Amino acid sequence: MQSSFLTHIQPSFSSEHRRFKPVLEMARKLDIGSNPSPEALFEAGTAGFQIWCTPADYPEGWEQVVTKMFPGAFAKDCAYVALVHWRWEGECIVGLNLSTAAYALADALNDRFTDSETRRNVNGKQTIYNRPEDLAWARKHIQRLFKLAGVPTPPIHNEKE
């Protein structure tokens, strides 16, 4: 006999990927590799995306490196800033994991910044990993992407150092 009431459907890996599909589709529309638009700062993956900055849109503290940005394989001058991937609990996406790495700062300003694997300040140099300025900038762009995709932004967690 069939029940006459609706039951809660348990999330699955498949349903969760479908729930976040509009976000990845929007990231692909705003792909830094093919879209020259100033808003195109993303590179979509299968379970998240990367965020890149440009000379027109970058985190605080990057002023001295914007002139050193170059397109490489992308549509415009840029530099890597952040990785965002889904945060899973069982088969449910419960948030986003955010980590940043300001490689351009370590390359151009190696007297002030370090990319040491210890991810701590070394010899008076500031680490390039999860700098507060980069995290704040990335959060703003994550929220914008989710808004454009019409998907509520889940909680954003900084990856542990």
Side-chain angles (χ1 to χ4, degrees):
M1 182 171 184
Q2 195 173 31
S3 175
S4 63
F5 62 92
L6 296 175
T7 59
H8 177 71
I9 299 172
Q10 289 286 79
S12 66
F13 290 118
S14 179
S15 69
E16 290 294 273
H17 280 291
R18 279 193 307 276
R19 184 165 65 106
F20 284 88
K21 183 178 179 182
V23 176
L24 294 180
E25 287 175 349
M26 184 57 65
R28 286 184 185 97
K29 286 180 186 174
L30 297 173
D31 187 285
I32 194 159
S34 59
N35 186 339
S37 165
E39 297 82 26
L41 301 174
F42 304 96
E43 185 177 9
T46 56
F49 51 91
Q50 295 179 1
I51 309 172
W52 298 72
C53 69
T54 66
D57 190 348
Y58 53 86
E60 182 182 330
W62 286 61
E63 294 78 10
Q64 291 181 299
V65 299
V66 295
T67 59
K68 297 173 178 18
M69 291 181 190
F70 58 93
F74 295 127
K76 57 189 164 236
D77 292 348
C78 63
Y80 173 84
V81 179
L83 172 64
V84 179
H85 60 92
W86 312 150
R87 183 181 196 127
W88 293 90
E89 274 185 19
E91 294 187 13
C92 187
I93 297 172
V94 296
L96 304 173
N97 288 326
L98 166 63
S99 62
T100 66
Y103 296 114
L105 294 180
D107 290 344
L109 305 170
N110 60 12
D111 59 324
R112 292 183 36 214
F113 295 94
T114 180
D115 62 355
S116 168
E117 290 300 316
T118 62
R119 295 190 178 204
R120 293 191 191 112
N121 292 352
V122 176
N123 299 328
K125 294 181 181 183
Q126 182 183 356
T127 182
I128 62 166
Y129 299 103
N130 293 334
R131 293 178 347 112
E133 303 91 333
D134 301 337
L135 291 166
W137 181 88
R139 284 175 175 271
K140 177 181 78 169
H141 287 288
I142 292 166
Q143 291 164 343
R144 180 176 63 88
L145 179 66
F146 273 78
K147 184 176 181 178
L148 288 170
V151 176
T153 306
I156 303 169
H157 305 273
N158 298 345
E159 284 280 82
K160 294 181 182 176
E161 291 186 59

